[in-house]
Each structure stands twice: as C-alpha cells, then as structure tokens.
Amino acid sequence: VSIPPYLILSDNPRKTIDGVIARFQPDKVAVLVDENTRQYCLPLLELSVPVIEIKSGEQHKNIHTCTEVWKALTDFQFTRNSLLINLGGGVIGDLGGFAAATFKRGIRFVQMPTTLLSMVDASIGGKLGVDFNGLKNHIGVFQLPGSVIVWDGFLRTLSKRELRSGFAEMLKHGLISDAQYWNELKSHDFNSGDWKNLIQKSVEIKGRVVEADPMEQGLRKILNFGHTIGHAIESALLETGDALLHGEAIAAGMVMEAHLSFQRGMLSQMELDGITDTVRKIFGGVKLPEGEKLIALIQQDKKNRDGRLNFSLLAGIGKSEPDQPVNRTEIELSFSYYEQAIR
Ligand SMILES: NC(=O)c1ccc[n+]([C@@H]2O[C@H](COP(=O)([O-])OP(=O)(O)OC[C@H]3O[C@@H](n4cnc5c(N)ncnc54)[C@H](O)[C@@H]3O)[C@@H](O)[C@H]2O)c1
Ligand SMILES: [Zn+2]
C-alpha cells in the first residue's frame, strides 16, 4: 500500500523540513506553535524563522486566536508565496491550516503533527477549522497541506494519557479496515516507544479512505465508527469535572457501536468480546452520562438524515458499513451492555 505523496514519514525532521522549504521556494516562512510545542518540539528543529505562539488547548481553537495568526502573518508581510509551518497537535494543525488557507485566499502550509492523534488522524485529509459558539469545527474549509511531515520522535515528551487518546483512533483504523493491523495493535507494548510502523499503517488507512472520498460524501463516513456515541459522551462530560480526552470517549463509543453491530448480526459474539476486552485493558471503563442526555445528543448528530439515526458499523473485524439505521431501543441496549461488560 502506498501513501499520498504529500505525506512524509521522516526519520530526520530537520532535514525533511529543510528539503520541503527548498522545494517550495517560499519568500517567507514562519512556524506556529503553542507553549508546549515551543518548549518540547521547536528546539529539535533548529529553525531560524519567526515564531507565532498561541495558547494551547481546545478552548483557544477559535476565530479570535485565528485573527491573532492573521495579524502576525500580516506583520511579517507574508505574501501568497509564503509558507506557514504548523508544529503541534490537532489544535495547531486545524487552526493554523485554516488561518493559512484563508489568508490572502490561501497560502501554503505544512503540517508537522506532534501528538499521536494528529499524526494518525488530524493532519491527514485536509479538514481545517475552528470552533464557534460552542460548536466544534463549526467554521472551516477543506484544503490539503503542501506536506505533512510525520516524525514519531516528538512523542517522547507527550503524556501517556494523550498517547492513549491517539491510540483509540488507531484501534479504529484496524477495526474498520484491517484485521491483521487490529491484531498487531492489541499486542502493542505502550512503553516500548516503538510507534513508527504502527503510525505508518494508520496513515495509510486514513490516507486511503480520504483519498477515495475527499469531501466526505460516502466512504469517508466509515471513519465515524465509535464517534456517534463517542461524541455524545464527550459533549455530555465536557462541562463536568470528568471531562474525557477525545480518544477516551471514542474508545467507549466503539464498544457500544460494536454492540450495535452485534445486535444487527454483523459481528459475532467472539469479535465483540475481543473488542470489549481490548478497550477494557487499555482504557478501563468510564462512567456514562445519563442515557436520555446521550440520546438527545446523538439525535443532534449532524450525519443523521430524515430523523433516522445512522451509524457507521462493523461488518466483522476489519470491515465497515456506513449509513446503518439504528433505533432507540438498540442504542439503549448498547448502553446497558457497556455498563455491565466494562465497569
Ligand atoms: N482535521 C481533522 O481531520 C481532525 C481529526 C481529528 C481531530 N481533530 C482535532 O484535533 C484536535 C485535538 O488534537 P490533539 O489531540 O492533538 O490535541 P492538542 O493539539 O490540544 O494537543 C494536546 C496537548 O498536548 C500538547 N502537546 C502537543 N505535542 C506535544 C509534545 N510532542 N510533547 C508534549 N506536549 C505536546 C499540546 O500543547 C496540548 O496541550 C481537536 O481540536 C480535534 O477537533 C481534527
Ligand atoms: Zn476521532
């Protein structure tokens, strides 16, 4: 399997970024960081270009922060021929990419993801944007980066909890499209620090799916496995003291959506058990918000048409089916399954 040409898996990010800059011949270059990637990642690149720093965290992924970036680019006298390097996790990539894609109708940008989640997910596929009025990714565009430079060395300073969150998306990649990869992931030793091969597989899978369906009209929906219920859990817990990282909510969502697949006869008992055991081992169980609240949030989910609840479900390990209609009773059963199987 090959990966799209703009994706570079690098062993030497300093050399790779130099090469990309030499190839693009920009008149100006700047790098966007947050306080953490400035401290932990920027020094490893030894770049001698102006730095734009924003505050870390999802709460800063908004249009106000974006105007700060536009302002900095204006101060640096960026032109249509300049280049922005986004060095950070998904927040930096989504916001920096959006700022670049809209500045003077679009300048080139390079994603240098520094979290596991952004390496295997956020930096691939060209979705860019910011949150607005409490709604996630409400304002944004599709635009492919000039390059994505993936170097697993950045993960050395990432917390275990953030690593685990990104790992949930990798588990999803295995479940929806590659049974052998799923088996490899199940036996991965978290403390080994050996991520390169696994990252490559995930990048290939996500790269392949988004290339087949860049604008999310069909196939790309399979990437939503675990996300319909997962997002509802994530949103319901957002304002509470038990907020979850994205991948933690998705892991729970995958167990419940695997159970939906099981109820519809698409997944065997053994396959369901395998998924539940793996998630339990890595993530433990989370305390679910109240069922009514979750269902209300699921109903708001943007991918539902005509009032039906549509899910991307598994049709065996390594295969998935988008647009599977599911009713309320089935969803409630999946909640009780999770409660008794995991907690
Ligand atoms: N565009 C897409 O297709 C897509 C897909 C999935 C997620 N996303 C978006 O990605 C965002 C989440 O991304 P994330 O999980 O990377 O979160 P993040 O960008 O908030 O990074 C998590 C934390 O880790 C810190 N950090 C980053 N790299 C580090 C490193 N190497 N060492 C130490 N600390 C480091 C950051 O400063 C931050 O505090 C969300 O906004 C989500 O909407 C986008
Ligand atoms: Zn996700």
Side-chain angles (χ1 to χ4, degrees):
V1 192
S2 65
I3 57 175
Y6 67 92
L7 283 168
I8 305 172
L9 292 162
S10 172
D11 287 317
N12 183 340
R14 222 190 307 161
K15 206 167 136 203
T16 307
I17 190 68
D18 283 350
V20 165
I21 292 171
R23 186 152 46 87
F24 287 178
Q25 298 276 310
D27 59 355
K28 294 200 174 65
V29 184
V31 59
L32 179 69
V33 293
D34 63 31
E35 73 279 5
N36 297 317
T37 62
R38 178 173 216 151
Q39 180 179 354
Y40 298 116
C41 306
L42 189 59
L44 305 177
L45 294 180
E46 297 176 16
L47 286 169
S48 48
V49 303
V51 176
I52 307 170
E53 181 180 322
I54 62 173
K55 290 200 194 85
S56 71
E58 184 73 27
Q59 70 274 28
H60 299 291
K61 188 177 139 181
N62 57 39
I63 199 70
H64 174 75
T65 309
C66 190
T67 63
E68 289 174 6
V69 178
W70 287 326
K71 172 123 196 335
L73 298 178
T74 307
D75 290 346
F76 296 152
Q77 298 183 311
F78 260 44
T79 72
R80 288 284 302 280
N81 201 29
S82 307
L83 175 74
L84 181 66
I85 301 168
N86 296 316
L87 180 67
V91 169
I92 289 280
D94 280 14
L95 185 144
F98 177 71
T102 47
F103 184 78
K104 297 197 175 180
R105 299 198 179 83
I107 62 169
R108 285 168 302 181
F109 60 98
V110 169
Q111 306 293 47
M112 292 194 85
T114 61
T115 64
L116 187 57
L117 185 105
S118 60
M119 290 177 193
V120 300
D121 192 356
S123 68
I124 303 161
K127 281 191 190 176
L128 311 168
V130 295
D131 305 335
F132 184 69
N133 263 2
L135 299 166
K136 263 200 81 163
N137 304 323
H138 197 57
I139 305 295
V141 296
F142 280 96
Q143 175 72 63
L144 286 181
S147 284
V148 182
I149 302 172
V150 177
W151 178 58
D152 63 345
F154 287 129
L155 300 177
R156 279 174 222 147
T157 53
L158 194 67
S159 73
K160 279 272 142 61
R161 196 174 168 203
E162 291 285 353
L163 262 183
R164 201 177 66 158
S165 176
F167 195 66
E169 300 287 358
M170 302 171 87
L171 292 172
K172 180 193 76 182
H173 292 145
L175 287 174
I176 63 172
S177 77
D178 188 337
Q180 198 193 324
Y181 179 43
W182 162 251
N183 287 327
E184 242 176 279
L185 290 167
K186 278 200 296 190
S187 52
H188 175 66
D189 173 10
F190 252 74
N191 300 309
S192 74
D194 185 9
W195 288 100
K196 195 170 178 215
N197 290 329
L198 297 178
I199 289 173
Q200 174 161 3
K201 289 241 171 72
S202 269
V203 164
E204 279 171 6
I205 293 170
K206 173 140 192 201
R208 189 169 359 111
V209 173
V210 299
E211 205 164 46
D213 177 21
M215 304 303 281
E216 197 163 25
Q217 284 155 334
L219 178 71
R220 192 165 176 165
K221 288 184 195 159
I222 68 172
L223 294 168
N224 286 325
F225 173 66
H227 280 63
T228 308
I229 298 182
H231 271 151
I233 298 173
E234 191 180 10
S235 313
L237 295 178
L238 209 56
E239 313 287 288
T240 75
D242 310 315
L244 295 178
L245 294 183
H246 176 71
E248 296 170 333
I250 295 319
M254 287 194 294
V255 170
M256 291 175 254
E257 296 186 18
H259 190 260
L260 292 176
S261 315
F262 167 74
Q263 289 183 65
R264 299 179 62 80
M266 298 160 70
L267 203 63
S268 73
Q269 178 76 58
M270 222 173 78
E271 291 169 326
L272 173 64
D273 290 345
I275 295 169
T276 306
D277 290 346
T278 304
V279 169
R280 188 198 301 107
K281 198 176 74 189
I282 301 170
F283 295 87
V286 302
K287 186 171 162 359
L288 291 188
E290 195 217 327
E292 280 305 313
K293 186 164 186 191
L294 283 184
I295 291 191
L297 285 162
I298 291 168
Q299 279 165 342
Q300 281 171 26
D301 196 280
K302 55 180 178 279
K303 58 195 159 294
N304 295 316
R305 303 246 166 89
D306 331 316
R308 282 194 319 175
L309 297 171
N310 282 332
F311 283 72
S312 292
L313 297 180
L314 298 181
I317 304 278
K319 278 177 71 184
S320 46
E321 293 284 351
D323 291 320
Q324 298 297 303
V326 166
N327 66 40
R328 195 192 159 100
T329 315
E330 291 167 318
I331 298 175
E332 283 165 352
L333 279 173
S334 79
F335 295 164
S336 10
Y337 169 75
Y338 181 86
E339 296 278 1
Q340 55 87 15
I342 289 239
R343 299 203 57 228

